[in-house]
Amino acid sequence: MRINLADIPLIDQHAHNLLRPEVAARYPYAAAFTEGYDEDIVNNHARHTLFYRRSLREIAALLECDAEESAIAARRQDLGLENLTRLYFRTANLEAIYLDDGLEVESILPLSWHEKLISVQRILRLEVVAEQLIPQIEDFETFLARFTSEIDPPPPGVIGFKSIVCYRTGLDVQPVTVEVAASRFYAIKQQLTNQPLRLVDKPLIDFLLQQALLIAAKYQLPVQLHTGFGDPDLDLRLANPLHLRSLLELPQNRHAPLVLLHAAYPYMREAGYLASVYPQVYLDFGLAVPSLSVSGMREAIRQLLELAPTSKLMYSSDAHSIPELYYLGAKWGRQLLAEVLDQAIQDSDLTVNEAEAIATAILRENALSLYLKK
């Protein structure tokens, strides 16, 4: 390998808060190593993935214990969550993390806890804003005004928006009139129960995302979109980023940067194509790295870079729940990016100097430029 990326400080441009210890204790350790949540998957099959088996050995090596869950659990208990997280952040050579704090809102540690250990920026999840407002407000005009005021201007510390439209209704986002959105709002109001609202209405979700894109364009604020694989809540057929074409073609969205997350796995080439022809489309490879096999991770990065400009690709871990995922994402993100770039050198696509500059861009500079305008 001709290039070494270990000394490049990482900007992890998409991750999530860690779970509070008392919440994390309710879940098997293997639950953090699968996107499935069925008990049979978590208890009987997750430990038989290449991701889990590889990761257990790597975690044990760092913690200097046997590669068994019981031994790892004992070391984790001895260290405590704060020291454990500090160890993983330091070993990963992380400079900053950009946190989407809209996942399991009631179960996570606050941003302030993470800020004790590392520089943190916030990514605001749009659907959470809507779900919090709808039960409180009786008429649509007031709701829309409140929703807009919550994100325009972006709250202090927020450097990007995030949408899980892909999970809820798919990426085929269509234009929706105010009248239709209002009718869907009132229909949802009639069906409210005492349970927390989970917004799954396609016309209203599509409408709110497009309102947010107008605001994102106004401030040149990136909007992260889940694409590709995830838990079974998602219809993978509708997670292909090619469904976004009509949204990307609208002139008003040209200046709203869209970050397609998770390498769009298994639609890496489709995502790379979009980044190659639409100026507002960017990519990352979190979740695919470190969740796939080593060969799968390598192939995901390689396919993204077959066509996409290197100025459009960014590192992330999509770490959540436990701090190990920050370390594993960093370890494999660096190693496999280096391998792909080394192959590009051998293929005469790049010189060594070009490859080193591209690695620095992908691991930190592209994110700094896009989110913080540095």
Side-chain angles (χ1 to χ4, degrees), residues 166 170-171 226-229 234-241 243 264 267:
C166 182
L171 294 177
H226 182 106
T227 58
F229 74 130
L234 172 150
D235 185 340
L236 189 58
R237 295 166 298 184
L238 299 176
N240 186 329
H243 286 297
Y267 306 111

Side-chain angles (χ1 to χ4, degrees), residues 351-363:
T351 67
V352 172
N353 288 341
E354 287 171 338
E356 290 174 344
I358 286 168
T360 301
I362 290 172
L363 295 178

Side-chain angles (χ1 to χ4, degrees), residues 216-359:
K218 176 180 175 182
Y219 294 98
Q220 293 286 287
L221 201 72
V223 179
Q224 298 181 351
L225 292 179
H226 182 106
T227 58
F229 74 130
D231 67 46
D233 199 30
L234 172 150
D235 185 340
L236 189 58
R237 295 166 298 184
L238 299 176
N240 186 329
L242 294 183
H243 286 297
L244 292 168
R245 185 174 186 274
S246 59
L247 191 74
L248 295 170
E249 291 285 344
L250 294 174
Q252 63 265 34
N253 293 332
R254 177 181 173 85
H255 299 293
L258 290 178
V259 182
L260 309 184
L261 300 174
H262 313 322
Y265 180 86
Y267 306 111
M268 288 84 70
R269 286 190 170 104
E270 290 86 342
Y273 162 74
L274 291 177
S276 76
V277 295
Y278 290 102
Q280 71 268 47
V281 174
Y282 294 79
L283 310 169
D284 92 345
F285 51 81
L287 187 58
V289 177
S291 297
L292 304 178
S293 70
V294 173
S295 63
M297 292 188 284
R298 184 185 299 112
E299 189 67 9
I301 297 172
R302 189 187 67 77
Q303 288 188 22
L304 289 174
L305 285 176
E306 283 180 356
L307 188 59
T310 59
S311 54
K312 296 291 201 79
L313 184 60
M314 294 175 287
Y315 168 79
S316 83
S317 66
D318 194 41
H320 60 281
S321 303
I322 62 172
E324 282 86 338
L325 299 178
Y326 279 101
Y327 163 66
L328 295 170
K331 178 183 188 297
W332 286 105
R334 278 197 184 88
Q335 179 171 326
L336 293 171
L337 178 62
E339 290 183 14
V340 171
L341 292 176
D342 185 59
Q343 184 62 53
I345 294 169
Q346 295 180 45
D347 292 341
S348 75
D349 284 329
L350 298 171
T351 67
V352 172
N353 288 341
E354 287 171 338
E356 290 174 344
I358 286 168

Side-chain angles (χ1 to χ4, degrees), residues 22-293:
E22 67 273 18
V23 176
R26 302 174 198 161
Y27 298 99
Y29 193 56
F33 297 89
T34 175
E35 286 294 292
Y37 47 72
D38 186 282
E39 288 186 5
D40 190 32
I41 289 290
V42 173
N43 294 322
N44 299 322
H45 299 289
R47 292 178 179 86
H48 297 278
T49 62
L50 303 186
F51 174 36
Y52 171 85
R53 294 190 174 198
R54 180 188 73 234
S55 298
L56 209 67
R57 294 193 302 273
E58 293 166 344
I59 292 164
L62 182 59
L63 297 184
E64 299 180 326
C65 65
D66 292 336
E68 303 287 342
E69 279 194 24
S70 58
I72 290 172
R75 285 289 290 141
R76 294 173 101 253
Q77 183 68 30
D78 290 343
L79 286 167
L81 182 59
E82 187 168 321
N83 287 331
L84 184 73
T85 305
R86 186 176 285 108
L87 171 64
Y88 286 126
F89 283 176
R90 183 177 67 247
T91 309
N93 192 13
L94 281 174
E95 178 177 326
I97 56 178
Y98 299 172
L99 291 182
D100 164 14
D101 60 351
L103 179 64
E104 300 189 55
V105 175
E106 302 301 321
S107 301
I108 56 176
L109 291 162
L111 292 178
S112 58
W113 186 91
H114 299 76
E115 287 171 337
K116 293 186 297 183
L117 307 176
I118 196 168
S119 175
V120 176
Q121 303 287 348
R122 185 183 179 209
I123 305 295
L124 178 65
R125 188 178 290 209
L126 297 168
E127 288 79 9
V128 169
V129 176
E131 288 168 345
Q132 292 172 342
L133 291 175
I134 290 173
Q136 304 174 19
I137 298 171
E138 295 305 316
D139 68 277
F140 179 74
E141 287 186 0
T142 303
F143 162 73
L144 183 55
R146 280 286 306 279
F147 178 82
T148 302
S149 70
E150 290 287 330
I151 61 175
D152 185 8
V158 168
I159 61 167
F161 298 148
K162 160 77 180 294
S163 173
I164 54 168
V165 62
C166 182
Y167 268 106
R168 297 297 173 81
T169 55
L171 294 177
D172 185 19
V173 179
Q174 295 296 319
V176 178
T177 66
V178 172
E179 293 76 17
V180 169
S183 70
R184 301 312 305 157
F185 170 85
Y186 291 117
I188 292 168
K189 291 290 292 183
Q190 291 177 351
Q191 299 169 11
L192 286 179
T193 67
N194 291 329
Q195 299 299 315
L197 172 62
R198 182 175 179 277
L199 185 59
V200 294
D201 185 272
K202 178 172 174 55
L204 186 55
I205 289 175
D206 286 3
F207 176 82
L208 293 176
L209 173 58
Q210 291 178 83
Q211 297 302 302
L213 287 174
L214 296 175
I215 295 167
K218 176 180 175 182
Y219 294 98
Q220 293 286 287
L221 201 72
V223 179
Q224 298 181 351
L225 292 179
H226 182 106
T227 58
F229 74 130
D231 67 46
D233 199 30
L234 172 150
D235 185 340
L236 189 58
R237 295 166 298 184
L238 299 176
N240 186 329
L242 294 183
H243 286 297
L244 292 168
R245 185 174 186 274
S246 59
L247 191 74
L248 295 170
E249 291 285 344
L250 294 174
Q252 63 265 34
N253 293 332
R254 177 181 173 85
H255 299 293
L258 290 178
V259 182
L260 309 184
L261 300 174
H262 313 322
Y265 180 86
Y267 306 111
M268 288 84 70
R269 286 190 170 104
E270 290 86 342
Y273 162 74
L274 291 177
S276 76
V277 295
Y278 290 102
Q280 71 268 47
V281 174
Y282 294 79
L283 310 169
D284 92 345
F285 51 81
L287 187 58
V289 177
S291 297
L292 304 178
S293 70

